[in-house]
């Protein structure tokens, strides 16, 4: 079943986070992921507001987790650590 990778992010170092974004996109695509929302307009109804929200669709939960654990994504993530506060989850889509 398909899955969504959902990230809520507050960027604290735009330059470093830009490098993360540059590297993360190809890593996500290599695992069958594609973005369906990136930093667009949102309305926070509950919980902590993060100004950047990203949603990518993957073929499965397993593909999304493999992406996260891949060398390419971990190399990208090194640029996000210390440059952002973030939450990331993978949710299976009930289709």
């Amino acid at each position: 079943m398909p899955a969504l990778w959902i990230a809520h992010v507050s960027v604290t170092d735009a330059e470093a986070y830009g490098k993360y974004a540059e590297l993360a996109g190809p890593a996500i695509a290599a695992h069958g992921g594609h973005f369906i929302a990136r930093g667009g307009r949102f309305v926070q109804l509950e919980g902590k507001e993060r100004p950047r929200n990203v949603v990518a669709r993957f073929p499965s939960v397993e593909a999304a987790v493999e992406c996260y654990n891949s060398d390419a994504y971990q190399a990208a993530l090194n640029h996000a650590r210390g440059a952002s506060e973030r939450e990331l989850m993978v949710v299976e889509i009930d289709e």
Side-chain angles (χ1 to χ4, degrees), residues 17-83:
Y17 200 81
K19 184 66 174 170
Y20 158 78
E22 180 183 314
L23 297 172
I28 288 168
H31 288 86
H34 67 277
F35 294 104
I36 58 176
R38 267 194 287 195
R41 189 178 144 202
F42 71 97
V43 176
Q44 184 75 30
L45 297 175
E46 292 186 22
K48 181 173 177 124
E49 181 174 318
R50 301 275 188 197
R52 183 165 177 77
N53 299 283
V54 179
V55 180
R57 183 182 173 112
F58 281 83
S60 66
V61 168
E62 293 77 14
V65 172
E66 286 174 18
C67 176
Y68 182 84
N69 291 321
S70 71
D71 291 342
Y73 186 78
Q74 288 298 309
L77 192 55
N78 283 334
H79 296 282
R81 290 187 179 110

